[in-house]
Amino acid sequence: MPKKLSGIEKKADMIIIDLNQPNLIPLYNIYSQLAYSMESCNVDTVIVNGKILMENRKLLTIDEKLIITEVKKYDKKADFDLIKKAYEYTKKAHKGQKRISGDDYFNHPVDVVNILLDFRPDTSSICAALLHDVIEETSLNLKNIEKDFGSEIAGLVEAETKTSKVVFDRPEDYTAENWRKMLLATTKDVRVILIKLADRLHNMRTLKHIRP
């Protein structure tokens, strides 16, 4: 990252970032660049808005305050209390669960949101992205989601869950064109498609942890 870029200051093996500065690249881009360059960069610690994002060359989970800071850049009328509620709700639901990589499962929905932020999602999309694995991976069900977050968000979570259950008969059927047809047939809400694509993209980025 360039030294003179507004909002970014480099000190020895530490980078300090202020997301409130104008013309700064999005948090998602910062996070993804760090994920790809950790092994080769000579930076041990990254601090964003006073919060440690990377420590000892390990990326930490982004908290809801950083997500809200990003959303405020394009939607000052978003329901930030609801986003915070979905963040804490998902964190509690996935508590104790681990991914194959050994990372906390909660990191996955947060990373999906970070990818989604590049498309300037609305409040419901952000909440649904955070909650997208709650039905499949925890003891909570759709009625819980609807009761706590309303029918719109519950509908997005339900539609995203349905796309996860689609299985093709043959390996050669897993093509981009078939996925496109499946997504369009499963839902007419583009927000569900964006959440699913962000989910798939993050899963692909963590394939190195799966044994062939």
Side-chain angles (χ1 to χ4, degrees):
M1 297 178 184
K3 240 182 181 180
K4 296 182 180 180
L5 184 61
S6 174
I8 297 182
E9 180 181 1
K10 189 174 187 304
K11 294 182 178 180
D13 60 353
M14 179 185 298
I15 293 178
I16 301 174
I17 301 171
D18 180 4
L19 288 177
N20 296 312
Q21 292 294 323
N23 304 318
L24 185 62
I25 57 178
L27 173 62
Y28 157 66
N29 289 335
I30 295 171
Y31 196 82
S32 60
Q33 286 178 21
L34 288 172
Y36 282 114
S37 62
M38 275 192 297
E39 294 180 0
S40 58
C41 72
N42 59 351
V43 175
D44 289 329
T45 305
V46 176
I47 300 175
V48 181
N49 281 25
K51 300 283 186 179
I52 297 176
L53 180 61
M54 185 175 85
E55 188 173 32
N56 297 325
R57 296 190 173 225
K58 181 179 180 181
L59 285 172
L60 307 181
T61 305
I62 294 174
D63 68 13
E64 76 278 10
K65 292 181 181 179
L66 293 181
I67 293 174
I68 288 172
T69 296
E70 285 296 294
V71 177
K72 283 182 177 179
K73 291 181 179 180
Y74 66 84
D75 185 5
K76 297 187 184 302
K77 295 182 180 180
D79 191 336
F80 302 114
D81 288 337
L82 193 62
I83 292 173
K84 182 177 181 180
K85 178 181 177 181
Y87 183 98
E88 295 297 337
Y89 191 95
T90 304
K91 185 177 183 179
K92 182 179 180 180
H94 289 297
K95 185 177 181 180
Q97 293 181 332
K98 297 287 185 180
R99 300 264 286 177
I100 295 176
S101 62
D103 293 336
D104 290 339
Y105 197 100
F106 177 60
N107 289 2
H108 170 64
V110 172
D111 287 339
V112 169
V113 170
N114 287 332
I115 294 173
L116 202 62
L117 284 173
D118 225 21
F119 301 96
R120 300 189 170 190
D122 63 4
T123 297
S124 295
S125 299
I126 295 170
C127 292
L130 285 167
L131 297 162
H132 79 272
D133 273 343
V134 165
I135 295 176
E136 286 189 301
E137 302 295 339
T138 78
S139 60
L140 296 171
N141 55 42
L142 189 61
K143 289 183 178 180
N144 297 130
I145 302 296
E146 186 169 6
K147 177 184 176 182
D148 294 324
F149 294 95
S151 58
E152 182 183 4
I153 292 173
L156 292 173
V157 174
E158 181 182 25
E160 204 284 335
T161 302
K162 285 181 179 178
T163 65
S164 301
K165 295 180 179 179
V166 174
V167 178
F168 294 111
D169 293 331
R170 301 174 302 171
E172 55 267 31
D173 290 335
Y174 284 87
T175 64
E177 179 62 17
N178 280 345
W179 272 110
R180 184 186 71 81
K181 291 178 180 178
M182 180 274 294
L183 287 171
L184 292 176
T186 305
T187 179
K188 301 300 181 184
D189 194 328
V190 70
R191 295 177 296 178
V192 175
I193 297 174
L194 289 175
I195 294 170
K196 172 53 65 179
L197 292 175
D199 175 44
R200 289 285 171 176
L201 178 57
H202 182 254
N203 283 335
M204 288 175 65
R205 287 178 174 172
T206 55
L207 282 176
K208 63 182 180 181
H209 299 292
I210 299 177
R211 294 181 179 180

